[in-house]
Amino acid sequence: MKDSIYRLPLDGQWQLAGRKQHGSADPAAAFPDPEFQFVAPVPGNIEDALCSAGIVPDPYFGGNSRELRKFEFYQWLYEFDFVYDGVERNLELVFEGVDLFGTVFLNGQVVGRAENAFLIHRFAVTPRKGRNHLAVHLASVPRELTKCPLNAGAFAGGVDFNAENLRFRRPGHESGWDIAPRMALGGLFRHVFLEEVPVHRFVETFLQTLSIAEDHGKASLRLMFHVDTPFLGDNEVILAVDGECSGARFHAERILWSAQGCLTFEVSHPKLWNPRHYGEAACYECSAKLLRGGEILAEKKFLFGIRTLALAMQDTVTDAPDPDFQLSVNGMPVRCIGMNHVPADALHSHDEARLGTILDSARALDCNILRVWGGGIYEPNSFYERCDREGILVWQDFMMACAQYPNDESFLRTIEAEAEEVVKRLRQHPSIALWCGDNECDMVPSWSGQFRDPNENLLTRKILPEVLHRHDPARPYVPSSPYFSPAAVAKGPDPSIHAPEQHLWGDRGYFKNDFYANSTASFVSETGYYGSPDLASLLRFLPEESVHSLDDEACFMHGTNANYPYDLTNNYRVKGMKKQIGFYFSEVPDSPEDFVAASQIVQAEAMKFLTENYRTKRKCSGLILWNLADCWPQFSEALLDYYHRPKLAFFYLKNCFHSVFFAENEAGEIWGVNDSPAEMSGKLRITGESGTELFCKDFVLPANQPCLVGQLATPEAAKAKVHLLEWHLKNDVRGKNHYVNGTAVYNYGAYRREILSRITEFYQWNLESVQ
């Protein structure tokens, strides 16, 4: 039996020193004259350390985040002492997250540099027996930009504070976004440890599903491997792979012939991995082993799902009745419903503690897809493993967003190296449904005033496809979200309306207007509506006097634009929330309590309408709403505020995200949606707010499609203020939904008394609980 691999955690309380950087950094293992020196946790961000040391106020409160700007021009030195036992081992010093320009010293000697916050950095080291001194120097990011050549063809989305994103590989939101503050100091934000590189090891493994028989009775699998062992060429060395899932097992083995190769085998009666709504997400607990004489030389454990993926995507929208963008799993077209996932926190050392609640909420909503947005970060393996087990598909953006990035050779090679590591780290997860080259970068040329065909972008049309061809050849790839094909670009000045997959933002008008209701999209991967956090949350991140005065500058600017008054780019969100209330109610309430309630009602009805509108269209194969949870305290489209308190929209959407649900539209049509592989039957009953029955029918819903089940056009229905839908499936699953009768604009006070109170009573909600 192989020995356990040595690992020495180096997390804990480090020393952190800072001083201004004038010109280029001169990395050193010690600061002779720091301006600041204090204890800082690792994993951690410099912003938190400054706050804990009393140097800056809480950056999550009021406008305090603006106090951090001056520290962007500082250089920083992390230091830590550890004791090593002196045993001779082949060791690597591992940093899972360095943000950003780090020079690593061990006992005064440079052992490596880290210049990409998205990558795990490994440095070969030989610590001495006893006490060792580890230091990491972080250079000022804005100062480093002075070294870079200007690329006149690159464009940072029209905002100066995003210019660093064009060159430097760190989460884009850190420089400031409409959903995130500018918190750009960085730090050692993930774990640090010493790890042994064993003599016998798997350098890489990748287990793939080649095919599944039509009757699902057999699957063909292939294990690609790369091993390192001194016993190479010894015919007694066996390569084996085993998998187990709820009593189902597979095993295959062969003599190890070379350091690289493949092992192809068949599995009888496989348990298949399916997304939510379409069956069990069967995960095999797998292990690849090197054995010699019955002894395990090396072992690698991983989760595996037996499933196939396919994406059918037209170059432009068509008049065909079927979707122009259709993802399939195991040959079954999947109708996707889910949420965009933005960073768990503006400071990524907080992510680990927050991701669990976010994924709990995705499960509670019954999402079958999450989109990891390209302005954030590649999540840790635990995030994707949770999605594997929950049957939640992951749309994975590469981390580029809202910019026209350089295409010079240096940057192409940077993205290539990053993508190779990311793809190899994540490709084993069955939940990852597709790779997407970026977020909205195909749209950026139309913003720049100098239109360039996005199909000339070598990053997403050449580099990333080549990386995927080498390392993950069978998984679908989309160059951008939304993707403007050559055919879409050729159709005219606005390719977005010709793209099968779209982001629906527009002018943020009334949620039932033509833009939202009658889009040409077959797949909507971004759309949403503003909703205020509740009053208790507002009072946690804003001064009480600002909340109660509803003062735009003091209150709303913090929540929508952390860079105000220095930049006014994102001020549209301030007026937008009030405007959207005004589309639905005859007045915008003055009191904070009523403003919050009105905003959340409008958001909830809007998100519900968007969900019902697109899920009841055969032409639409997917909807990914923006977004699930905030990364910091703000006013936004998120269903959960920063403190993970759910807004009213969360509870509305829990009713219409399930695989089977019913909805009524303005024409009085009653639609049933069955996003599952089996026919569903049961009884549907609709009543008014007084309990009067308006509709009652036994139904049969065909598999995996929406279906018109009836028309509600009676005098009683016209008089009712709200229609309450209840259904009972023959498998004993029950569900509810509602429809607010009439047309906007409603009287706010009457709405709360006569409609919202009845809706709340109907659902028997506990509005304090996400679950």
Side-chain angles (χ1 to χ4, degrees), residues 268-342:
S268 296
H269 308 294
K271 288 184 175 291
L272 301 187
W273 189 94
N274 294 286
R276 293 179 81 89
H277 304 172
Y278 289 88
E280 179 189 3
C283 290
Y284 282 80
E285 304 280 350
C286 293
S287 66
K289 298 185 184 76
L290 286 180
L291 304 115
R292 182 172 184 265
E295 178 188 0
I296 299 176
L297 302 177
E299 182 176 18
K300 182 176 181 181
K301 296 182 178 181
F302 55 92
L303 277 184
F304 178 65
I306 298 177
R307 58 100 181 93
T308 59
L309 290 167
L311 176 64
M313 178 176 62
Q314 302 300 319
D315 287 336
T316 62
V317 298
T318 72
D319 294 329
D322 292 326
D324 299 322
F325 188 105
Q326 180 64 69
L327 182 70
S328 296
V329 179
N330 301 327
M332 171 68 71
V334 172
R335 290 169 55 81
C336 297
I337 180 66
M339 301 299 300
N340 277 270
H341 170 71
V342 304

Side-chain angles (χ1 to χ4, degrees), residues 100-412:
L100 179 60
F101 292 102
T103 303
V104 181
F105 298 84
L106 180 62
N107 298 323
Q109 302 298 311
V110 175
V111 298
R113 290 180 171 82
E115 298 186 348
N116 189 323
F118 297 125
L119 300 185
I120 297 172
H121 296 277
R122 299 176 178 273
F123 308 112
V125 294
T126 306
R128 60 197 177 204
K129 183 177 181 179
R131 187 167 298 279
N132 291 262
H133 185 71
L134 178 60
V136 182
H137 177 276
L138 298 180
S140 162
V141 171
R143 294 292 185 196
E144 290 297 303
L145 190 60
T146 63
K147 302 177 183 178
C148 298
L150 177 67
N151 187 320
F155 182 70
V159 288
D160 289 340
F161 54 80
N162 285 159
E164 293 146 11
N165 293 349
L166 293 175
R167 284 290 179 187
F168 300 154
R169 301 306 295 152
R170 68 193 315 197
H173 69 87
E174 291 183 4
S175 63
W177 218 272
D178 61 352
I179 62 159
R182 184 176 177 93
M183 290 195 197
L185 304 186
L188 305 182
F189 65 92
R190 286 183 177 165
H191 300 291
V192 183
F193 50 90
L194 273 177
E195 186 171 65
E196 180 181 9
V197 179
V199 174
H200 311 281
R201 67 188 179 110
F202 286 95
V203 180
E204 286 183 56
T205 61
F206 185 27
L207 183 58
Q208 305 171 74
T209 304
L210 300 181
S211 63
I212 299 171
E214 190 172 341
D215 65 358
H216 295 175
K218 187 175 291 185
S220 178
L221 309 185
R222 175 175 293 160
L223 177 71
M224 305 295 295
F225 65 86
H226 178 187
V227 301
D228 186 6
T229 173
F231 291 145
L232 196 62
D234 185 333
N235 287 341
E236 292 187 14
V237 179
I238 301 296
L239 173 77
V241 60
D242 293 275
E244 193 277 333
C245 175
S246 302
R249 292 179 172 82
F250 63 74
H251 172 83
E253 65 177 56
R254 51 161 282 191
I255 294 173
L256 182 68
W257 182 258
S258 64
Q260 296 185 24
C262 67
L263 174 58
T264 303
F265 57 98
E266 290 188 339
V267 177
S268 296
H269 308 294
K271 288 184 175 291
L272 301 187
W273 189 94
N274 294 286
R276 293 179 81 89
H277 304 172
Y278 289 88
E280 179 189 3
C283 290
Y284 282 80
E285 304 280 350
C286 293
S287 66
K289 298 185 184 76
L290 286 180
L291 304 115
R292 182 172 184 265
E295 178 188 0
I296 299 176
L297 302 177
E299 182 176 18
K300 182 176 181 181
K301 296 182 178 181
F302 55 92
L303 277 184
F304 178 65
I306 298 177
R307 58 100 181 93
T308 59
L309 290 167
L311 176 64
M313 178 176 62
Q314 302 300 319
D315 287 336
T316 62
V317 298
T318 72
D319 294 329
D322 292 326
D324 299 322
F325 188 105
Q326 180 64 69
L327 182 70
S328 296
V329 179
N330 301 327
M332 171 68 71
V334 172
R335 290 169 55 81
C336 297
I337 180 66
M339 301 299 300
N340 277 270
H341 170 71
V342 304
D345 200 282
L347 299 178
H348 288 291
S349 60
H350 301 179
D351 290 353
E352 193 171 311
R354 294 174 58 82
L355 283 170
T357 300
I358 291 170
L359 289 172
D360 287 346
S361 301
R363 179 187 61 194
L365 277 172
D366 208 13
C367 296
N368 67 8
I369 192 166
L370 293 174
R371 173 175 176 251
V372 179
W373 169 68
I377 195 167
Y378 303 104
E379 295 295 358
N381 291 338
S382 57
F383 172 91
Y384 301 96
E385 182 174 322
R386 175 78 182 273
C387 292
D388 295 341
R389 296 186 186 278
E390 298 283 359
I392 299 174
L393 297 166
V394 175
W395 170 309
Q396 179 65 58
D397 283 359
F398 287 98
M399 290 300 127
M400 293 182 283
C402 299
Q404 194 165 287
Y405 288 85
N407 272 212
D408 56 60
E409 189 64 22
S410 174
F411 197 74
L412 294 179

Side-chain angles (χ1 to χ4, degrees), residues 413-428:
R413 298 287 77 83
T414 294
I415 295 300
E416 180 180 39
E418 176 186 310
E420 287 197 341
E421 179 171 322
V422 169
V423 169
K424 287 191 285 187
R425 177 169 74 87
L426 299 182
R427 65 188 175 186
Q428 194 62 78

Side-chain angles (χ1 to χ4, degrees), residues 311 313 398 433-438 459-465 468 475-480:
L311 176 64
M313 178 176 62
F398 287 98
L434 63 81
W435 298 102
C436 182
D438 59 51
L459 293 165
T460 56
R461 271 59 171 188
K462 182 177 186 295
I463 298 300
L464 293 177
L468 291 169
R475 204 177 317 256
Y477 171 71
V478 179
S480 185

Side-chain angles (χ1 to χ4, degrees), residues 661-699:
F661 85 105
F662 290 82
E664 179 183 349
N665 64 25
E666 288 189 298
E669 296 173 334
I670 310 301
W671 283 83
V673 172
N674 177 16
D675 290 354
S676 77
E679 180 182 273
M680 292 289 175
S681 60
K683 182 182 288 291
L684 171 67
R685 183 172 182 261
I686 304 176
T687 59
E689 70 272 13
S690 65
T692 302
E693 185 173 281
L694 306 176
F695 182 94
C696 187
K697 183 177 181 179
D698 292 327
F699 61 81

